[in-house]
């Protein structure tokens, strides 16, 4: 059985916080207490076992709100999430050395701050996005000033990875089948949209009657022009992130086909967000559910829970647990900051902890070392009430930005 404990917020309007782990620090608990003071939280806040301190709102939290949305809870990597699919290839059919595969993917998929030299996405993908984006930027022209070469940049970034904890992996499951798995979001324009509306919410909060326990928890109320504009923009960014992952997967398949035996994709394909907001029905009401570092886990819904560069990952099936708002963790979760990881570990540590994985092993990715993350097996043990494991994956190649 999984573990759940309840933190009762000590505030006049505090709601309970239901936590599906014992591994949580006091600073994160303090952040959760502040979130629980918001008067528009519906029922309670659910906290996943990969929980850790976040900017504005806690990573690993599921926040149901009535008639309000907190832009900082969604964050700036709007629509960040995972895409995975299984091939009908076995690990024994992969080359003995995976460097050529990794190089082929890196030539097709720009990583870090890089983007495509030419627009790669199809017009059928771009045209509807472009029309909706023009409506958004006509109302908020300031967005265009926040991204260099605005129109070209967002289009050239479809099908690109980004940096930080974003990755592309080749994995093997328990039956030795090959999986392609990737983690990315809405790139530069998603960041711009998130930043713009977070700042707008903070400015509007200065003129609104009512207590906000933290400036980063500033919100838009339903019925206001800013609320409507934010919903329009955030839904656009979430769709953009979805299309970014889909285009990236297409390019990866294109890159590896010449280097592998003929293969087909199986029906097991998943594309899911873990930083997003959408309307859902919970505890008798239609509410806005913000998942900040959590994935939806409705009954029989498939999801992806990745570990770190040197650990296992999981394909899971949701159990639809109402107390988690039908959610589960989005990964292992960091147990230390990037700065601390660079202080504690070096390149040699990274080499040792990623043995057997074809990946970057230089000092610039030490902050992504497996030891900087929680134990994925323990994280999974805490959420047996939320999901069941369908496949266990072990990466053999990892590309980081």
């Amino acid at each position: 059985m999984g573990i759940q404990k309840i933190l009762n917020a000590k505030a006049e309007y505090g709601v309970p916080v239901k936590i599906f782990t014992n591994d949580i620090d006091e600073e994160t608990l303090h952040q959760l207490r502040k979130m629980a003071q918001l008067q528009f939280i519906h029922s309670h806040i659910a906290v996943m076992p990969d929980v850790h301190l976040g900017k504005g709102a806690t990573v690993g939290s599921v926040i149901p709100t009535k008639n309000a949305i907190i832009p900082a809870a969604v964050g700036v990597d709007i629509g960040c999430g995972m895409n995975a699919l299984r091939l009908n290839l076995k690990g024994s059919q992969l080359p003995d050395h995976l460097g050529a595969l990794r190089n082929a993917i890196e030539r097709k998929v720009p990583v870090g701050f890089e983007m495509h030299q030419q627009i790669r996405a199809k017009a059928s993908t771009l045209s509807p996005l472009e029309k909706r984006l023009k409506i958004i930027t006509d109302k908020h022209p300031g967005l265009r000033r926040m991204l260099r070469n605005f129109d070209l940049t967002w289009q050239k970034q479809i099908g690109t990875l980004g940096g930080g904890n974003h990755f592309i992996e080749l994995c093997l499951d328990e039956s030795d089948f090959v999986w392609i798995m990737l983690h990315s979001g809405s790139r530069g324009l998603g960041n711009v949209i998130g930043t713009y509306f977070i700042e707008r919410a903070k400015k509007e909060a200065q003129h609104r009657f009512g207590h906000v326990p933290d400036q980063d928890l500033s919100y838009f109320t339903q019925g206001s022009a800013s609320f409507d504009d934010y919903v329009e923009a955030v839904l656009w960014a979430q769709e953009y992130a979805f299309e970014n992952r889909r285009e990236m997967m297409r390019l990866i398949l294109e890159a590896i086909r010449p280097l592998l035996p003929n293969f087909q994709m199986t029906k097991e394909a998943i594309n899911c967000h873990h930083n997003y907001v959408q309307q859902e029905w919970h505890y008798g009401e239609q509410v806005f559910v913000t998942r900040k570092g959590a994935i939806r886990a409705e009954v029989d819904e498939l999801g992806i829970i990745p570990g770190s560069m040197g650990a296992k990952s999981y394909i899971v099936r949701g159990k639809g647990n109402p107390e988690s708002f039908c959610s589960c963790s989005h990964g292992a979760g960091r147990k230390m900051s990037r700065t601390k990881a660079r202080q504690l570990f070096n390149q040699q540590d990274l080499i040792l902890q990623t043995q057997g994985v074809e990946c970057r092993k230089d000092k610039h990715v030490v902050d992504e070392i497996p030891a900087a993350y929680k134990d994925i097996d323990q994280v999974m043990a805490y959420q047996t009430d939320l999901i069941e494991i369908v496949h266990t994956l072990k990466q053999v190649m990892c590309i980081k930005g």
Side-chain angles (χ1 to χ4, degrees), residues 119-183:
I119 297 169
R120 296 298 306 268
K122 296 177 181 177
S124 58
T125 297
L126 292 173
S127 182
L129 284 172
E130 190 170 21
K131 288 177 183 176
R132 289 168 54 201
L133 181 59
K134 185 178 186 305
I135 295 170
I136 294 166
T137 57
D138 282 351
K139 287 187 283 188
H140 297 276
L143 289 167
R144 303 183 70 87
R145 295 191 291 270
M146 295 172 67
L147 187 66
R148 187 178 178 185
N149 298 321
F150 185 92
D151 290 310
L152 281 177
T153 296
W154 75 262
Q155 295 181 75
K156 287 183 177 181
Q157 285 187 337
I158 294 184
T160 66
L161 184 64
N165 63 351
H166 294 162
F167 63 78
I168 299 167
E169 290 185 346
L170 284 185
C171 305
L172 303 179
D173 69 14
E174 67 286 341
S175 299
D176 200 40
F177 279 108
V178 176
W179 287 72
I180 303 170
M181 187 165 70
L182 62 88
H183 173 206

Side-chain angles (χ1 to χ4, degrees), residues 5-24:
K5 61 182 180 179
I6 299 178
L7 169 72
N8 286 306
K10 296 177 181 178
E12 184 180 354
Y13 299 103
V15 298
V17 179
K18 298 187 178 182
I19 304 172
F20 290 84
T21 181
N22 278 334
D23 183 12
I24 185 167

Side-chain angles (χ1 to χ4, degrees), residues 23-216:
D23 183 12
I24 185 167
D25 62 83
E26 188 56 44
E27 195 174 5
T28 303
L29 288 172
H30 178 67
Q31 187 176 58
L32 288 166
R33 287 189 183 98
K34 288 194 292 185
M35 289 168 56
Q37 294 174 30
L38 295 168
Q39 300 178 36
F40 49 80
I41 302 293
H42 174 59
S43 178
H44 62 275
I45 294 171
V47 180
M48 302 300 101
D50 56 344
V51 59
H52 58 91
L53 191 71
K55 184 176 180 180
T58 306
V59 178
S61 60
V62 184
I63 311 161
T65 54
K66 295 184 291 185
N67 306 315
I69 295 179
I70 309 163
V74 180
V76 296
D77 197 0
I78 301 168
C80 183
M82 301 288 301
N83 192 187
L85 60 82
R86 188 173 69 128
L87 307 181
N88 63 349
L89 286 178
K90 291 293 188 90
S92 57
Q93 296 174 275
L94 293 175
D96 291 336
H97 302 286
L98 300 177
L101 278 175
R102 179 183 157 206
N103 291 337
I105 294 171
E106 288 177 337
R107 285 194 297 269
K108 282 279 188 181
V109 180
V111 303
F113 293 107
E114 299 300 317
M115 67 183 80
H116 293 291
Q117 294 300 307
Q118 304 294 329
I119 297 169
R120 296 298 306 268
K122 296 177 181 177
S124 58
T125 297
L126 292 173
S127 182
L129 284 172
E130 190 170 21
K131 288 177 183 176
R132 289 168 54 201
L133 181 59
K134 185 178 186 305
I135 295 170
I136 294 166
T137 57
D138 282 351
K139 287 187 283 188
H140 297 276
L143 289 167
R144 303 183 70 87
R145 295 191 291 270
M146 295 172 67
L147 187 66
R148 187 178 178 185
N149 298 321
F150 185 92
D151 290 310
L152 281 177
T153 296
W154 75 262
Q155 295 181 75
K156 287 183 177 181
Q157 285 187 337
I158 294 184
T160 66
L161 184 64
N165 63 351
H166 294 162
F167 63 78
I168 299 167
E169 290 185 346
L170 284 185
C171 305
L172 303 179
D173 69 14
E174 67 286 341
S175 299
D176 200 40
F177 279 108
V178 176
W179 287 72
I180 303 170
M181 187 165 70
L182 62 88
H183 173 206
S184 190
S186 51
R187 304 296 287 110
L189 186 46
N191 187 294
V192 162
I193 288 171
T195 300
Y196 177 88
F197 281 99
I198 288 169
E199 292 306 311
R200 190 178 185 89
K202 289 178 181 179
K203 288 177 183 177
E204 291 189 9
Q206 296 172 6
H207 307 289
R208 183 190 296 114
F209 177 77
H211 173 64
V212 178
D214 189 312
Q215 191 180 25
D216 283 325

